[in-house]
C-alpha cells in the first residue's frame, strides 16, 4: 500500500503513522472550518491583488505579497497554489513543488492543485532525463574522439608520405 495514495511515495503504510496522518487530516479539517468568514475574505482579496500583480507583470511583488500572506494564514490552499504558480514562473522549481504540495495537502479534493503538482514534477523529471541524455551523448562523443585520436588508429594515420 502507498502512503496517502501518492504513487511517488513507494513505501508500505506504517499503521501507527497512518493513524497519525488521519488524525492530522482531521485536525487540519477542523482548523480549516474554524478559519471563519473574515479570513476567507482576506484570502480572496490577497489572491485578487496577486492576480492583478501578475497581469501587470509584477511577479516579484505578487511573490512577496503571497509569502507574507501564507506566513499569516498557513491554511489557505489557494494562497499556496498561487504562490506555487509564481515560484514556477520565476524558475524556483523546488519552492513551487513545496507550495503545490502544501496546497494539495490542505485541499486534497482540488484536482487543479494536484494537476499543478503533477505537471511540475513531470516537467522536472523530463528535464532531468534530458540532462542525463545530454551528458551521455557528450561522454560518448568524447570517448569516440579519444579512440579516433589514439596512436595506430587508421583514421588518424598520416598518409601524406
Amino acid at each position: 500500500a502507498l502512503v496517502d495514495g501518492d504513487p511517488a511515495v513507494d513505501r508500505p503504510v506504517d499503521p501507527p503513522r497512518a493513524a497519525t496522518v488521519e488524525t492530522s487530516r482531521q485536525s487540519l479539517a477542523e482548523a480549516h472550518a474554524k478559519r471563519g468568514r473574515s479570513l476567507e475574505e482576506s484570502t480572496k482579496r490577497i489572491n485578487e491583488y496577486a492576480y492583478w500583480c501578475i497581469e501587470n507583470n509584477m511577479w516579484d511583488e505578487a511573490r512577496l505579497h503571497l509569502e507574507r500572506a501564507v506566513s499569516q494564514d498557513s491554511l489557505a490552499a489557494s494562497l499556496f497554489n498561487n504562490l506555487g504558480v509564481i515560484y514556477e514562473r520565476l524558475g524556483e522549481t523546488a519552492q513551487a513543488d513545496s507550495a503545490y504540495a502544501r496546497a494539495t495537502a490542505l485541499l486534497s479534493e482540488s484536482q487543479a492543485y494536484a494537476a499543478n503538482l503533477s505537471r511540475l514534477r513531470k516537467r522536472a523529471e523530463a528535464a532531468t532525463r534530458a540532462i542525463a541524455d545530454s551528458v551521455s551523448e557528450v561522454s560518448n562523443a568524447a570517448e569516440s574522439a579519444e579512440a579516433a585520436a589514439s596512436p595506430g588508429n587508421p583514421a588518424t594515420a598520416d598518409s601524406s608520405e
Side-chain angles (χ1 to χ4, degrees):
L2 300 177
V3 176
D4 301 331
D6 184 352
V9 179
D10 190 19
R11 59 178 185 258
V13 173
D14 176 17
R17 184 176 184 284
T20 302
V21 168
E22 185 56 35
T23 301
S24 295
R25 282 191 178 157
Q26 289 171 353
S27 297
L28 187 60
E30 290 169 11
H32 196 285
K34 291 178 184 177
R35 288 177 64 235
R37 188 88 175 127
S38 66
L39 280 177
E40 289 176 17
E41 286 299 319
S42 174
T43 298
K44 182 179 176 184
R45 284 191 309 276
I46 291 165
N47 280 323
E48 287 172 353
Y49 179 70
Y51 292 142
W52 181 86
C53 289
I54 290 167
E55 288 172 352
N56 289 285
N57 206 26
M58 298 169 53
W59 292 90
D60 287 325
E61 173 67 16
R63 178 183 53 83
L64 293 171
H65 195 69
L66 287 171
E67 285 175 341
R68 188 173 344 117
V70 298
S71 74
Q72 295 170 1
D73 182 3
S74 62
L75 297 176
S78 64
L79 295 176
F80 282 99
N81 181 71
N82 293 339
L83 188 56
V85 169
I86 291 166
Y87 284 147
E88 186 174 0
R89 171 66 164 79
L90 295 174
E92 299 173 9
T93 307
Q95 292 94 326
D97 186 281
S98 179
Y100 286 146
R102 179 73 174 152
T104 302
L106 287 167
L107 195 61
S108 59
E109 62 270 13
S110 173
Q111 292 179 355
Y113 299 167
N116 284 344
L117 180 60
S118 176
R119 179 188 38 76
L120 177 74
R121 288 182 175 172
K122 285 178 183 174
R123 287 177 65 196
E125 289 170 9
T128 300
R129 278 193 304 275
I131 290 169
D133 291 347
S134 294
V135 168
S136 179
E137 288 175 18
V138 168
S139 177
N140 290 341
E143 288 174 7
S144 295
E146 262 182 39
S150 65
N153 185 336
T156 59
D158 186 359
S159 59
S160 61
E161 293 183 27

